[in-house]
Amino acid sequence: MPLPRVRSLAATLLLATATGPALATTTHTPSAQVPGVYHQQIGTLQVTALFDGTVALGRQELTGIDAGAVTRLLDHRYVPEDGKGLQTAVNAYLVQRGNHLTLVDTGTATCFGPGLGQVLGNLRAAGYDPAEVDDVLLTHAHPDHLCGLLDAQDKVAYPNATVWLSAADAAYWLDPASEATAPQGVRFAFALARKAVAPYEAAGKLRRFSPGQVLPAGVTALDSHGHTPGHVSWKLDTGNGPSLLVWGDIVHFHAVQFAQPQAAYEADSERTAAVASRRAMMAQAADGGWWVAGAHLPFPGLGHVRREGEAFAWVPGEFAPLPGR
């Protein structure tokens, strides 16, 4: 191409740019996050993680580990932290086996204030009707796991569901006598637990059980007490692959407790037992190649555990489209 023609073309382009319409600008600023819903096909199970919100847990609430070690473990892990503490997710899990729906834990509902209580709305956003839920499996009776049995109007959220709560946790958290002798900091939780389960119990839909007893098909309760007297982790048969372990409050500080499983949480009712349960659940999940769903792991909280020497590491699941989509 002759040089004069190149200059002519460049001049034309510059003129068009200078005299053309102004670039469009946007005034839109997102004010809400997308619905907290994530689907994962695990064997024959359709698992839907449901985000409830976040709570702040202070690093000083870790025990059995010195503050310097906590700082080193948190360094460059980028866990959001403010003056109230480290950002900690609250998750629940809906498991579909054929036409049967099982919800594991229910979130906080109105028990913990604004920014939480999103499980019921996210379940609807995922396309499910709460009336379709057949079973609710509770890992334990703390407010962030069972308050969501009721909706924002304190009505039954899952009218057709049978609720499963370990006999040990029921005996403790539903008994006013236990409340009188409990540490002052947890006494508020007793009334919340009684209120949440009351309408289900009145309707004959509260089932107390002990690990090893008959439960809904494909479900096994693993004794993982320590965080509460009757804390259980739920192992679900996936049909044609590794099991799914929904382990409740085995971990609260993911950046610390995988690498240092002996680090306990001051809210654990029996810290030595909680540490033993954490080691046992992590070892079984790692050795079995199980999928893990964690109530306080970063949403969606689905992934695997691997061994690292005498300790462990969290391996988040990779985003994947659903089969046939």
Side-chain angles (χ1 to χ4, degrees), residues 45 49 54 93 110 115 122 133 175 181 236 246-248 261 268 286 288 290-291 293 301 305 325:
L45 305 181
T54 63
Y93 297 91
T110 59
N122 283 328
V133 174
D175 184 357
T181 59
L236 288 85
V246 188
W247 71 14
D268 294 336
W290 296 349
W291 277 90
V305 178
R325 302 298 194 273

Side-chain angles (χ1 to χ4, degrees), residues 11-77:
T12 301
L13 290 172
L14 286 171
L15 181 62
T17 302
T19 60
L23 292 176
T25 58
T26 181
T27 59
H28 173 67
T29 301
S31 59
Q33 188 53 278
V34 297
V37 172
Y38 180 77
H39 304 292
Q40 180 75 52
Q41 188 75 32
I42 301 178
T44 59
L45 305 181
Q46 174 82 54
V47 180
T48 300
L50 301 169
F51 183 64
D52 192 65
T54 63
V55 295
L57 297 181
R59 59 173 71 193
Q60 71 280 1
E61 296 177 59
L62 281 159
T63 67
I65 183 172
D66 68 78
V70 171
T71 298
R72 289 191 295 273
L73 286 166
L74 289 172
D75 186 39
H76 288 89
R77 294 299 299 273

Side-chain angles (χ1 to χ4, degrees), residues 47-277:
V47 180
T48 300
L50 301 169
F51 183 64
D52 192 65
T54 63
V55 295
L57 297 181
R59 59 173 71 193
Q60 71 280 1
E61 296 177 59
L62 281 159
T63 67
I65 183 172
D66 68 78
V70 171
T71 298
R72 289 191 295 273
L73 286 166
L74 289 172
D75 186 39
H76 288 89
R77 294 299 299 273
Y78 303 106
V79 180
E81 184 176 17
D82 59 20
K84 295 180 180 179
L86 296 155
Q87 177 177 294
T88 306
V90 179
N91 307 320
Y93 297 91
L94 185 70
V95 179
Q96 182 171 356
R97 186 192 306 273
N99 294 324
H100 192 95
L101 289 182
T102 299
L103 179 64
V104 185
D105 289 336
T106 65
T108 63
T110 59
C111 289
F112 276 14
L116 288 143
Q118 301 176 40
V119 164
L120 193 60
N122 283 328
L123 185 144
R124 291 189 174 106
Y128 293 96
D129 183 341
E132 297 174 327
V133 174
D134 299 288
D135 292 293
V136 175
L137 310 179
L138 298 173
T139 57
H140 60 297
H142 276 171
D144 53 325
H145 297 262
L146 60 54
C147 274
L149 287 170
L150 305 179
D151 64 17
Q153 290 72 46
D154 288 339
K155 304 296 184 184
V156 168
Y158 305 99
N160 296 311
T162 299
V163 176
W164 300 82
L165 177 64
S166 74
D169 251 29
Y172 183 72
W173 293 103
L174 304 183
D175 184 357
S178 301
E179 180 178 357
T181 59
Q184 189 66 42
V186 300
R187 289 186 185 178
F188 76 99
F190 287 82
L192 295 175
R194 292 193 296 268
K195 177 182 177 181
V197 304
Y200 295 88
E201 187 162 36
K205 292 187 175 183
L206 178 65
R207 299 283 188 274
R208 294 170 172 82
F209 69 91
S210 298
Q213 291 182 339
V214 175
L215 296 166
V219 174
T220 303
L222 302 182
D223 180 3
S224 51
H225 75 281
H227 181 57
T228 65
H231 186 288
V232 298
S233 299
W234 295 99
K235 179 172 171 278
L236 288 85
D237 176 14
T238 64
N240 57 8
S243 297
L244 167 65
L245 178 67
V246 188
W247 71 14
D249 282 13
I250 294 298
V251 168
H252 290 85
F253 298 84
H254 65 90
V256 174
Q257 289 177 303
F258 282 98
Q260 297 290 335
Q262 83 281 2
Y265 176 35
E266 68 175 20
D268 294 336
S269 65
E270 189 181 345
R271 293 172 189 172
T272 300
V275 169
S277 289

